[in-house]
Amino acid sequence: MHAKNRLPSSGHSTPSPPASPLRSPRYRHGRKSGRFSPFQPGRTIAHRLAWLLLSVLLRRQGIFLFAPLIYISGMLLYMGTVSFDVVPVIKHRPAPGSVYRSPQLYEKLKIDMNADNSSVDAISTIWKNSYKGGEWRPCVSKSSEDLRYLLVFYLHVCMPESNGYIYVEANGGLNQQRTSICNAVAVAGYLNATLLIPNFHFHSIWRDPSKFKDIYDEDYFISALKNNVQIVDKIPEYIMERFDHNMTNVYNFRIKAWSSIQYFKDVVLPKLLEEKIIRISPFANRLSFDAPPAVQRLRCLANYEALRFSSPILNLGETLVARMKKLGANSGGKYVSVHLRFEEDMVAFSCCVFDGGEQEKEDMIKARERGWKGKFTKPGRVIRPGAIRINGKCPLTPLEVGLMLRGMGFDNNTYIFLASGKIYNAEKTMGPLLEMFPNLQTKEMLATEEELAPYKNFSSRMAAIDYTVCLHSEVFVTTQGGNFPHFLMGHRRYMHGGHSKTIRPDKRKLVLLFDNPNIGWKSFKRQMLTMRSHSDSKGFELKRPSDSIYTFPCPDCMCRTNKSADPRSSTAT
């Protein structure tokens, strides 16, 4: 408001009342002031309302209270006059490692990688680390006296003939079932019960109807454990008559995962003594990793000594091992085995996104619905493929496995055995790996159609063949975790003086390297050699309380020996 508008309109004015001491003199006004009035002619209704509101605020001293409201209203009025026909879009670059860009890196590094002849082939020099306290040798006690003495000590009871029968259902794939078998042996031995040969639960994913004797040598299993645990292939007739010869009528324990062995003694044993037979279904992962020495010894005995593949599987597996060693004769019969988890169900379950575009997206939606109906489409469930990849949870692609191994010093003459199911979109995804390692083999390539025919429709039997060939390789490479590599690492430690001879890549670091457009071959190779060296140093590891004895057999299943001793000389066959 201009200063002249504050002056009276004439020389005669009514004196203003005394100003309030709390009110600024600039806001004094008389009853008949000649200042601007909102009702002066020529003013619009909007102007009049605005000035009316302002005068009320000024009179009520609410200016400071309503200042933010006035400011916001003004900004909104101002923004209303701005055109938003064109809105600038700010594109944020995805977080490093969150997007699958490995094919671009491969194209960038390929020339330098193929021209690199700077290092000796890794297969002959990879394992340099030795355990500073000496190597280890298998020392599972097969003596019934030792084990039964420990069981009596922990149970604080005399050992009768049998406290009853235990029947378990082993669920999952080949090695999850193996966990159930070994844990069932340990529980039955601890409770002084008779174990019925475990029944394999048919699973919608693996879809394998195989029975125990189809995969394992049942007679050998019973014989190897006869001094420690009683095992039978059927329940006596007089007991089954009580349940109308129907095992589903037998009392079923729903046991919490990772229960302690004390729970089995306090809760399961009384019911076993009462009923003389109990059923535990499902049984996978129902026994805690941490257990007394007596329980651990039974686990060791079952896994490393008693469980042997059936003769047909074992014979074919050993035949393929011999063929791989013959192919790798120039490397002293040494070869690399890789457990590749890039089957359609694994890619779907991971919820990761690769480079297959819309077709891949459609395939994965169908696979998830087929295998896990509704699990991935529940309301409120948010899937973040980028975060999954950054956390190292995505399965490595065949291309990424090839890049990693070439970076670790394995040249294109290396013989590789690939343990896997049906690779997703194999015609496209396997191409780069075969370019980098033309000597790659699979069981389908090593065996004839006639040799594989009896096993082709049985996923667990096919996995058992893969297991055998991987077990005897010089180097084993795990790419995704799971029961298969964990059991293999433990078994290889048991065979190789405590060293797993396994490459375990750090996938959180890998995804960052694969997504680095500025990295050169030398820098990439240096990072891979460091990762390889780390796997060597971690080859010897002792079991901690929360670790699985099937991955870390030292010290429960193995004893320390001096460096001059041959740890394999005492290995049981």
Side-chain angles (χ1 to χ4, degrees), residues 129-136 537 540 542 560-563:
N129 193 64
S130 60
Y131 189 65
K132 60 185 178 181
E135 290 189 335
W136 297 78
S537 66
F540 289 102
L542 302 185
R560 189 174 297 174
T561 185
N562 57 48
K563 294 183 179 180

Side-chain angles (χ1 to χ4, degrees), residues 104-260:
Q104 293 89 319
L105 182 66
Y106 172 58
E107 292 300 322
K108 178 178 184 292
L109 300 181
K110 183 162 51 174
I111 295 176
D112 291 336
M113 177 182 69
N114 292 332
D116 183 13
N117 295 312
S118 61
S119 60
V120 179
D121 184 32
I123 200 165
S124 59
T125 60
I126 183 169
W127 307 125
K128 299 178 180 178
N129 193 64
S130 60
Y131 189 65
K132 60 185 178 181
E135 290 189 335
W136 297 78
R137 61 178 177 83
C139 60
V140 178
S141 174
K142 295 182 181 180
S143 169
S144 61
E145 293 182 3
D146 293 344
L147 286 170
R148 290 175 77 85
Y149 172 79
L150 287 169
L151 292 171
V152 170
F153 177 78
Y154 282 100
L155 279 171
H156 306 290
V157 295
C158 294
M159 301 294 285
E161 283 300 311
S162 174
N163 288 327
Y165 292 86
I166 293 180
Y167 167 80
V168 303
E169 289 188 0
N171 54 308
L174 174 70
N175 291 284
Q176 191 169 350
Q177 290 171 347
R178 192 177 182 113
T179 304
S180 297
I181 296 166
C182 298
N183 287 347
V185 167
V187 169
Y190 188 80
L191 300 183
N192 191 41
T194 300
L195 177 66
L196 180 67
I197 288 290
N199 179 53
F200 290 166
H201 180 70
F202 183 81
H203 196 280
S204 59
I205 298 296
W206 290 276
R207 305 189 66 79
D208 189 335
S210 297
K211 303 301 181 185
F212 186 97
K213 65 181 179 180
D214 296 322
I215 298 175
Y216 297 104
D217 188 330
E218 188 174 298
D219 292 336
Y220 183 83
F221 179 70
I222 294 172
S223 175
L225 293 167
K226 66 181 180 181
N227 293 328
N228 303 285
V229 182
Q230 299 178 58
I231 302 174
V232 296
D233 58 2
K234 65 178 182 179
I235 303 295
E237 188 73 15
Y238 74 92
I239 292 181
M240 290 307 298
E241 285 178 356
R242 293 168 44 205
F243 304 98
D244 295 328
H245 297 89
N246 187 347
M247 192 60 74
T248 59
N249 293 331
V250 176
Y251 181 83
N252 183 36
F253 265 99
R254 305 292 285 186
I255 295 176
K256 183 180 178 182
W258 315 117
S259 294
S260 69

